[in-house]
Amino acid sequence: MKGIYSVIIALLAVSSLLGQNPVSETFSDRWVINSPSVEILPIRKLDIRITHRFGDLAGNAGGWKSFYGLENAADVAIGFEYGVSNRMNIGFSRTKGAGPMKQLVHGVLKMNFLRQMEGGTPISLSGFGLATLSTAERSTDPSSVTYFEKFAHRMAFHVSLIGARKFSERFSLQLSAGVTHRNAVPAGDENNLINTGLVFRLQATKTLAIIGDVALPLNGRQSPFNEASSPLNDYNTPLGIGLEFNTGGHVFQLNFTNSAGIMPTDYLPYTRSDWAEGQFRIGFTISRLFNL
Amino acid sequence: MNIKIPCLSLLVIAGLYLVPSCTNDVLPEPEIQSQCDTMMVTYDAVVKDIIDNSCAYAGCHSPGGIGVGNYDSYDGLLPVLDNGLFESRVVTQKDDPALGMPPNSSVYPESAKDDLTEEELLTIQCWLLAGYPKN
């Protein structure tokens, strides 16, 4: 009889664990400005995405003569992501490329390992992987990253571990740690850039949220902590702030960021634009979900 | 469930393909030294003409222009030569349409030309390598 009780108690314990509700919508979108979020698409959902970054809003290249950057495109991404399972997304996109590597195609893999539960697991945890291939023509300069002596030199990778918590109905915070690997780098640069990211989302009204992201390289010439990084190399930390409108069927993000590139393999190694010099831009992302 | 197996197989195949495609190569320094050995470049003799025509014309890096600084004299150039910004913008970032100097006219309508000629660029690089002598 004791055995039966033990089994019932064990089943109740398991069912109470299983019965915990996962916290929904830590973020409304799989991307927050330029940073991948912890969110994952449910199975058989297709997300068609268009992301655009205009030219410098202010500074020498901005102002009225370029209609505050709206007449220029710093970078454009068109692509999709798909929920293969409730824990795994794959994606594909094409960007113009804002750094020296141009005409980029990207493959994305995202896995969800842990979900924040009401009264249970305190955080959500996802892994993000990105492989980027430049399809641009070869340069004739052997010191250029577009010389592409080997096919592998066209490629760059980014992997990160993303942890996030929805603290309340209004506020979510995300931290990430990642490595960006470039197969070929200019003399004096490093192949592996270790970086960390911070993302927040603050729900202001029912449909409007304030979002922000920063991606901080911790080594190499790109890092603000590296004495040799400035002013010669002119690198700056990508930093964005924006508004997110959720209209149910789709999410629309309007943002301002100094990063010209859209994908991590582009903006982490190559962001030189400076907020203080007016080299930030208006950007938007449209994401539309379909059931397949 | 039936969709997971082919997708996971594809991922494994993609992973097997990506691992050997990882390299850790560092590209060579630009080979300027050997080409500069036969050149004697000074600001007064050669570089001033290039800069006057490419940077220091009315509307850009000249008094009242939108460009930072006044580059119509050697002394006006010295601050950006010393802090490396000149080399960064003219040589390192030359392919960037907005930050590379001269900038593309699609970004700066005032820009008289999108790029230096190869000969002008080499001249500037050799001049910088020699320590940007005035005369």
Side-chain angles (χ1 to χ4, degrees), chain A residues 16-23 114-124 164-166:
Chain A
S16 71
L17 277 174
L18 292 174
Q20 285 178 351
N21 291 325
V23 171
L114 207 59
R115 281 199 185 127
Q116 185 182 346
M117 296 284 181
E118 286 171 8
T121 314
I123 60 164
S124 295
R165 178 170 167 79
K166 189 174 187 178

Side-chain angles (χ1 to χ4, degrees), chain A:
Chain A
M1 200 63 182
K2 268 189 178 176
I4 292 172
Y5 279 128
S6 306
V7 169
I8 290 171
I9 288 167
L11 282 175
L12 280 174
V14 169
S15 65
S16 71
L17 277 174
L18 292 174
Q20 285 178 351
N21 291 325
V23 171
S24 64
E25 291 209 13
T26 306
F27 296 95
S28 294
D29 196 352
R30 273 64 54 203
W31 294 79
V32 177
I33 305 180
N34 283 335
S35 302
S37 80
V38 76
E39 289 292 332
I40 200 147
L41 285 169
I43 188 165
R44 295 198 187 93
K45 281 271 187 187
L46 177 72
D47 180 11
I48 301 286
R49 308 183 62 83
I50 298 171
T51 304
H52 196 106
R53 300 286 178 263
F54 290 102
D56 289 358
L57 190 141
N60 291 333
W64 175 250
K65 64 180 180 292
S66 65
F67 198 36
Y68 304 95
L70 295 178
E71 288 167 0
N72 299 319
D75 203 3
V76 181
I78 298 170
F80 71 88
E81 285 173 17
Y82 179 70
V84 177
S85 76
N86 285 325
R87 296 279 187 181
M88 183 167 86
N89 286 177
I90 56 170
F92 179 83
S93 64
R94 199 272 192 194
T95 62
K96 177 185 161 190
M101 304 276 267
K102 302 288 183 193
Q103 298 168 35
L104 307 174
V105 290
H106 310 270
V108 165
L109 172 68
K110 195 191 248 184
M111 307 282 287
N112 177 251
F113 306 122
L114 207 59
R115 281 199 185 127
Q116 185 182 346
M117 296 284 181
E118 286 171 8
T121 314
I123 60 164
S124 295
L125 201 63
S126 292
F128 174 83
L130 169 70
T132 297
L133 174 77
S134 170
T135 60
E137 277 187 27
R138 288 186 61 182
S139 148
T140 53
D141 174 5
S143 67
S144 165
V145 289
T146 55
Y147 184 61
F148 302 138
E149 187 182 4
K150 303 171 189 168
F151 181 80
H153 289 182
R154 293 178 173 274
M155 300 194 77
F157 307 90
H158 175 83
V159 290
S160 61
L161 191 64
I162 305 166
R165 178 170 167 79
K166 189 174 187 178
F167 285 90
S168 70
E169 281 306 308
R170 285 180 170 272
F171 183 67
S172 299
L173 190 69
Q174 171 178 300
L175 284 169
S176 63
V179 179
T180 304
H181 175 84
R182 287 174 293 163
N183 278 344
V185 293
D189 217 332
E190 292 190 30
N191 291 93
N192 292 310
L193 293 177
I194 298 164
N195 44 76
T196 183
L198 178 74
V199 169
F200 77 89
R201 181 177 187 278
L202 180 65
Q203 189 79 40
T205 70
K206 195 177 174 188
T207 54
L208 177 72
I210 299 163
I211 52 176
D213 80 326
V214 59
L216 189 64
L218 299 175
N219 67 326
R221 299 195 292 196
Q222 290 79 358
S223 171
F225 308 117
N226 187 343
E227 290 286 318
S229 71
S230 62
L232 206 75
N233 297 307
D234 264 355
Y235 286 105
N236 283 288
T237 301
L239 174 70
I241 183 101
L243 297 174
E244 185 182 77
F245 304 86
N246 192 343
T247 60
H250 66 262
V251 174
F252 180 78
Q253 290 180 16
L254 180 71
N255 54 59
F256 298 90
T257 172
N258 64 321
S259 155
I262 290 169
M263 297 302 265
T265 42
D266 195 2
Y267 66 75
L268 274 159
Y270 302 118
T271 293
R272 297 175 188 266
S273 313
D274 188 355
W275 269 93
E277 288 187 36
Q279 292 159 350
F280 58 93
R281 66 214 69 260
I282 299 174
F284 66 81
T285 303
I286 300 169
S287 155
R288 183 73 172 91
L289 296 182
F290 297 90
N291 290 314
L292 281 192

Side-chain angles (χ1 to χ4, degrees), chain B residues 14-25:
Chain B
L16 288 175
Y17 174 74
L18 290 177
V19 169
S21 63
C22 249
T23 65
N24 273 296
D25 296 333

